[in-house]
Amino acid sequence: MTRNIPLEKVRNIGIAAHIDAGKTTTTERILFYTGIAHKLGEVHEGTAIMDWMVQEQERGITITAAAISTNWLNHRVNIIDTPGHVDFTIEVERSMRVLDGVVAIFCAVGGVQPQSETVWRQANRYEVPRIIFINKMDRTGANFYKVHKQICDRLKTNIIPIQIPIGNESNFSGIVDLIRMRAKIYKDDLGENIEDIEIPSEYLEKAQEYRSKLIEAVAEIDETLLEKYLEGIELTEIEIKEGLRRGTLERSIIPLLCGSAFKNKGIQLLLDAVIEYLPSPLDVPSIKGLLPDNIEGCRLSSDDEPFSALVFKIASDPYGRLTFIRVYSGVLKKGSFVYNAAKKQKERISRLIVLKSNDRIEVDELRAGDLGAIIGLKKTTTGDTLCDEDQPILLESLYIPEPVISVAIETQTKQELEKLSKALQSLSDEDPTFRVSINPETNQTVIAGMGELHLEILVDRMLREYKLEASIGKPQVAYRETILKPSKTEEKYIRENSGKNHYAHIVIQVEPTKRGSGFEFVSTVTNGIIPKEFIASAKEGIRETCDSGILAGYPLTDIKVTLLDGSFHEVDSSEISFKIAGSMAIRSTVMKSFPVLLEPMMKIEVDIPNNFLGDIIGDLNARRGQVNGMIAEDDLTKVSANVPLAEMFGYATDIRSKTQGRGVFSMEFNHYVEVPHDIAKAIIMQNTGNTYSSEDYQ
């Protein structure tokens, strides 16, 4: 099986939104109308094609980004259905990195929700063109115009409706097409019997109002169209669509559609819009990367270019390890060899497949613009570049957020320990936000992730898929350490051990950097004062000590370490001597630099009935929360706040009891802040037994 569709007729799109906005249901309807599925899959019944994992079917949520290929209007549409829960944000992140366009779905009742904003920021990061589908128009409380205004206000984007709804809530019966100025009325439950009629008189004025806004937005895209518009000449349907497409590709316009996926209304029109307005691989800028010697280069979307592809996901499978790739240029053939530019290694391609959710269809080749998977790669990991060895290029990788929560996991027997090791290796290959470490104090295995649900799912997979018997500790916050002041230290390591002398001498300066910048090491040593291999060893000692923590055993971050000076001995100096000196120097310097603990702050949004507002605000304040704003909508209030993660364990149960089960909340990581002195002192005492605090080092 090879692709016989030209590249301009390929669409690589993602379906993205807040949890429960209807992403998977929309994708299921797309598969039904394009002939991939012969019956409608339902998330709530556990029959959705795209939710194939046991955990997804049990919980009614999407956990992994599932890929599928289908056809519409003689176009190939490759779709990735992404999760909405913030704990699985890496699935959205890596999907955005390789997609050409996105359908952003908003609930007609909930409007702009926290994960909607996160998804939007991710799409902005990779400059992905998008269209919007306001879903659930049949739901009680649905309000198309209110959600449209909310999207414009909160996402600061030029959203232009190309449709408006006919009816609302249970009376939602059709859609006005503002380009053709015709109405589509749905006459059956399957959404296949659609009547094309004149716009009903009661909707004509509203349609004309929004049509004029559409024409004005399109006219601003092109000087020729603007001249016609100013001269009062009516734009043709083709001109409007061409202007909309150009505006969408430039991200100056985002077309807005509406419907109800669950009630089978508006999906065919959404598919039409995907074909008409979202880009093909030829419409997006050429992928950029680094050529040998750090020269910037690019690859055009063409089968004739040298092969290049980005690995965006690894998955374990009964048939082997799947490496998901987006091919940006060239052709990849089964049985060939590829070069991993990140690892600087060659690997052989044993089999190539395209996916229908969890079904595998073998192919002989993948071409420019294709999404597919490779079976047989052993060393390749997420974010790596695969390319032609004779013409290598290293593509930009993807942003991977740091985990914020951890738990200890223990096994009782050696056999179970081997199973645990295999499971942890496999899961960490699949998920870059899942981290594994060994606590040096207790020798416990510690796993870290993006939230309670993230770790719960991973542990559940270990127990089921790997038949593991293990005990799991309570969730722990992933604190960090940093410094508030710069300082300098001179460290000499002079020892005699087993008759051999050791000598290392370094001078370092440590200074704080901005939050989120991580660890930076710079050497200003010149003229061979210290050999390069000893500098590398000193850096290694410093880095390892920072990773294991100094104040309370948490990674030290957001610092810049500069090696200023030092000396070495021709005979007594060695790499291990300088590594030890580096470790000693960073410890003493940090303890003079006002070290502090940092904790993750979570962005919380709580939707509650107004009569519970006082209790919820009081509870958030008691959790050391900072309320940022409140929006009252009818009898509900949406409260936004930043709250430390340490205070949010068990909140789902607490909010249910405080609001008689009527309150709901969502939470995502926001930033790290300094832990209050008294709490930091208790954490340090618990972890190290020391009673000192950062105030002792001012």
Side-chain angles (χ1 to χ4, degrees):
M1 174 182 166
T2 57
R3 191 186 75 215
N4 52 11
I5 292 176
L7 206 50
E8 63 269 18
K9 292 194 172 185
V10 172
R11 300 288 182 271
N12 290 316
I13 67 161
I15 311 287
H18 184 88
I19 192 167
D20 267 350
K23 297 176 300 301
T24 300
T25 303
T26 302
T27 309
E28 294 295 320
R29 297 309 187 263
I30 288 173
L31 301 184
F32 176 75
Y33 291 121
T34 57
I36 290 286
H38 300 294
K39 64 177 184 176
L40 296 172
E42 301 293 0
V43 173
H44 60 278
E45 293 174 1
T47 58
I49 292 173
M50 302 303 277
D51 285 349
W52 56 272
M53 284 175 62
V54 174
Q55 291 84 355
E56 292 177 316
Q57 293 166 358
E58 288 178 350
R59 296 162 193 260
I61 61 171
T62 300
I63 294 169
T64 63
I68 197 162
S69 293
T70 187
N71 293 291
W72 185 255
L73 300 179
N74 297 317
H75 285 66
R76 166 75 56 81
V77 183
N78 300 316
I79 305 169
I80 296 182
D81 173 30
T82 65
H85 199 287
V86 68
D87 283 16
F88 310 108
T89 188
I90 185 62
E91 296 289 334
V92 185
E93 188 77 33
R94 54 183 163 200
S95 300
M96 292 291 183
R97 174 65 183 81
V98 298
L99 291 170
D100 299 325
V102 165
V103 177
I105 299 183
F106 290 80
C107 173
V109 181
V112 180
Q113 296 165 289
Q115 189 63 8
S116 316
E117 296 182 69
T118 304
V119 165
W120 204 261
R121 286 195 301 272
Q122 289 171 311
N124 286 341
R125 182 180 295 132
Y126 298 110
E127 300 181 347
V128 185
R130 65 214 80 153
I131 60 179
I132 291 175
F133 182 67
I134 295 182
N135 190 27
K136 302 192 176 185
M137 283 303 306
D138 60 302
R139 284 268 305 277
T140 302
N143 189 323
F144 173 85
Y145 302 102
K146 184 181 83 173
V147 172
H148 172 223
K149 183 177 185 305
Q150 204 179 78
I151 296 170
C152 292
D153 292 345
R154 292 180 65 172
L155 300 181
K156 311 295 183 196
T157 306
N158 188 25
I159 313 291
I160 302 298
I162 61 173
Q163 300 173 349
I164 60 172
I166 294 174
N168 209 36
E169 301 179 341
S170 60
N171 296 320
F172 176 60
S173 60
I175 291 163
V176 173
D177 179 346
L178 297 174
I179 297 172
R180 295 175 57 243
M181 285 302 274
R182 298 281 293 176
K184 298 276 190 181
I185 303 296
Y186 290 83
K187 307 300 270 183
D188 68 346
D189 293 338
L190 276 180
E192 293 183 312
N193 184 4
I194 308 169
E195 194 176 348
D196 190 286
I197 63 169
E198 294 283 341
I199 298 171
S201 57
E202 64 268 34
Y203 292 98
L204 190 56
E205 186 179 341
K206 182 73 81 174
Q208 288 168 340
E209 175 194 341
Y210 276 88
R211 159 92 173 184
S212 66
K213 291 177 182 177
L214 166 61
I215 298 298
E216 188 177 330
V218 167
E220 289 175 358
I221 294 294
D222 182 273
E223 286 186 15
T224 307
L225 296 181
L226 185 59
E227 282 180 22
K228 286 185 72 172
Y229 172 73
L230 293 175
E231 290 170 9
I233 301 171
E234 186 75 19
L235 300 186
T236 66
E237 183 182 326
I238 291 174
E239 287 173 330
I240 295 170
K241 287 183 175 181
E242 285 176 350
L244 269 174
R245 179 174 177 77
R246 183 173 162 185
T248 305
L249 299 185
E250 293 172 355
R251 292 178 294 114
S252 57
I253 287 180
I254 296 179
L256 177 66
L257 300 87
C258 63
S260 166
F262 184 60
K263 295 292 185 181
N264 310 309
K265 294 180 173 70
I267 301 302
Q268 296 98 321
L269 296 176
L270 174 62
L271 275 166
D272 292 346
V274 165
I275 302 303
E276 286 166 344
Y277 308 123
L278 288 181
S280 76
L282 296 175
D283 296 317
V284 296
S286 300
I287 190 72
K288 292 181 180 178
L290 289 177
L291 302 174
D293 300 324
N294 284 336
I295 300 168
E296 197 170 282
C298 69
R299 291 283 187 268
L300 303 175
S301 274
S302 167
D303 294 348
D304 300 326
E305 285 272 298
F307 169 70
S308 69
L310 185 77
V311 175
F312 68 95
K313 183 173 176 174
I314 304 291
S316 293
D317 178 284
Y319 305 102
R321 187 173 184 261
L322 293 180
T323 303
F324 289 75
I325 62 167
R326 159 71 192 265
V327 181
Y328 283 100
S329 62
V331 179
L332 177 63
K333 292 184 181 294
K334 184 171 71 173
S336 62
F337 284 88
V338 292
Y339 180 66
N340 185 325
K343 300 280 194 307
K344 295 183 168 53
Q345 292 179 324
K346 276 176 71 173
E347 292 211 61
R348 185 176 181 276
I349 307 297
S350 59
R351 291 158 66 196
L352 295 173
I353 57 172
V354 293
L355 291 102
K356 174 185 171 184
S357 186
N358 67 326
D359 291 340
R360 283 75 173 103
I361 303 164
E362 284 214 36
V363 294
D364 293 327
E365 62 184 25
L366 293 173
R367 308 177 79 85
D370 282 346
L371 294 171
I374 303 169
I375 298 176
L377 300 187
K378 296 180 174 63
K379 306 280 180 63
T380 301
T381 54
T382 299
D384 287 355
T385 300
L386 301 179
C387 58
D388 185 330
E389 186 180 14
D390 294 331
Q391 299 188 64
I393 187 170
L394 181 63
L395 305 178
E396 181 190 352
S397 190
L398 58 145
Y399 169 75
I400 297 173
E402 288 294 313
V404 296
I405 188 171
S406 63
V407 296
I409 181 166
E410 292 181 333
T411 57
Q412 301 302 318
T413 66
K414 186 179 179 182
Q415 187 181 8
E416 290 298 317
L417 185 61
E418 288 172 359
K419 276 202 256 181
L420 174 63
S421 177
K422 184 180 177 184
L424 293 176
Q425 181 62 52
S426 178
L427 291 173
S428 57
D429 280 350
E430 288 183 30
D431 187 347
T433 60
F434 175 58
R435 308 287 170 83
V436 182
S437 61
I438 304 295
N439 185 321
E441 302 287 327
T442 63
N443 210 31
Q444 284 180 311
T445 300
V446 177
I447 58 175
M450 299 306 296
E452 286 183 273
L453 180 61
H454 185 205
L455 289 183
E456 191 183 317
I457 296 290
L458 288 166
V459 168
D460 188 43
R461 287 189 61 193
M462 279 188 249
L463 300 180
R464 288 195 200 199
E465 294 174 24
Y466 296 90
K467 307 292 188 290
L468 188 66
E469 292 181 16
S471 55
I472 313 298
K474 290 182 179 177
Q476 303 292 320
V477 177
Y479 293 102
R480 295 283 185 270
E481 299 176 12
T482 194
I483 58 171
L484 300 183
K485 294 180 179 178
S487 65
K488 191 164 80 168
T489 292
E490 181 173 5
E491 190 69 52
K492 284 187 177 180
Y493 175 68
I494 305 173
R495 294 284 191 281
E496 183 183 343
N497 187 8
S498 303
K500 178 171 170 47
N501 292 327
H502 295 271
Y503 178 90
H505 170 216
I506 60 173
V507 180
I508 66 167
Q509 177 175 292
V510 180
E511 54 193 309
T513 54
K514 67 177 183 178
R515 291 281 185 270
S517 60
F519 171 88
E520 183 184 358
F521 178 87
V522 176
S523 172
T524 59
V525 173
T526 56
N527 299 327
I529 293 171
I530 304 174
K532 285 183 179 179
E533 62 270 24
F534 293 166
I535 294 174
S537 297
K539 177 185 177 182
E540 187 181 350
I542 291 167
R543 184 63 192 256
E544 285 183 6
T545 303
C546 289
D547 287 346
S548 58
I550 294 169
L551 189 62
Y554 298 106
L556 183 70
T557 188
D558 303 341
I559 62 165
K560 179 181 179 182
V561 181
T562 306
L563 179 61
L564 301 172
D565 200 1
S567 63
F568 74 103
H569 189 278
E570 291 285 356
V571 177
D572 296 344
S573 291
S574 63
E575 291 181 9
I576 189 66
S577 302
F578 272 88
K579 183 175 179 180
I580 293 169
S583 178
M584 292 166 62
I586 190 69
R587 283 186 181 279
S588 56
T589 315
V590 163
M591 298 317 282
K592 295 187 297 186
S593 303
F594 201 168
V596 293
L597 283 185
L598 301 175
E599 64 179 340
M601 289 289 278
M602 311 302 285
K603 181 183 176 183
I604 313 294
E605 284 209 358
V606 188
D607 290 329
I608 41 167
N610 293 334
N611 52 321
F612 298 111
L613 183 60
D615 291 343
I616 294 301
I617 296 293
D619 182 54
L620 290 173
N621 288 332
R623 295 173 187 268
R624 299 191 283 127
Q626 303 162 347
V627 175
N628 299 325
M630 290 179 278
I631 301 172
E633 296 176 350
D634 302 324
D635 61 340
L636 288 176
T637 298
K638 187 187 292 287
V639 181
S640 297
N642 288 336
V643 187
L645 174 62
E647 306 292 343
M648 290 303 293
F649 294 127
Y651 188 63
T653 304
D654 289 349
I655 193 174
R656 278 197 294 268
S657 64
K658 282 183 168 59
T659 61
Q660 298 173 8
R662 297 167 65 195
V664 294
F665 83 103
S666 61
M667 175 171 77
E668 65 174 318
F669 170 72
N670 195 280
H671 62 287
Y672 270 92
V673 298
E674 189 180 332
V675 178
H677 169 63
D678 55 335
I679 296 173
K681 200 166 185 175
I683 294 168
I684 294 167
M685 178 67 183
Q686 180 184 335
N687 285 20
T688 67
N690 295 321
T691 56
Y692 56 71
S693 74
S694 56
E695 289 190 349
D696 298 316
Y697 298 91
Q698 292 188 48

